Amino acid sequence: MGNIYDGAFRTIINDCRQMLIPVINEIFGEDYTGNEKIEFHPNEHFMDQQDAADHERITDTNFIILWKEKEEISS
């Protein structure tokens, strides 16, 4: 069973996605604007076990924040 922090983070991911960028900014000292695209990757995997029912394993949340660096303006 996961701990309370896993549940809280999962709630942010599922119910409050608009809060994900501010949380990442705060925890990691980042500077995202909130306009970035977030690409989520599956974290639920089914393990085929011989002579047993398939077992589901939920792993850590896996996502990528896609953003472009500001282009320098030459004078």
Side-chain angles (χ1 to χ4, degrees):
M1 182 174 176
N3 65 36
I4 192 167
Y5 300 108
D6 290 338
F9 191 72
R10 200 168 290 119
T11 298
I12 290 172
I13 296 294
N14 292 322
D15 298 341
C16 310
R17 285 207 176 170
Q18 73 278 8
M19 294 301 299
L20 183 58
I21 293 293
V23 167
I24 296 298
N25 283 341
E26 183 66 27
I27 292 172
F28 298 103
E30 293 295 340
D31 187 5
Y32 296 115
T33 64
N35 295 323
E36 296 79 11
K37 180 180 176 188
I38 302 173
E39 183 178 280
F40 289 91
H41 299 275
N43 68 332
E44 297 175 356
H45 308 278
F46 291 93
M47 300 166 36
D48 187 19
Q49 299 178 344
Q50 191 174 21
D51 299 327
D54 288 347
H55 177 73
E56 179 181 20
R57 175 174 287 168
I58 299 176
T59 59
D60 291 336
T61 300
N62 186 358
F63 62 89
I64 297 173
I65 299 173
L66 304 169
W67 61 288
K68 293 181 181 179
E69 291 188 40
K70 295 179 184 176
E71 294 181 11
E72 290 185 30
I73 299 174
S74 57
S75 47

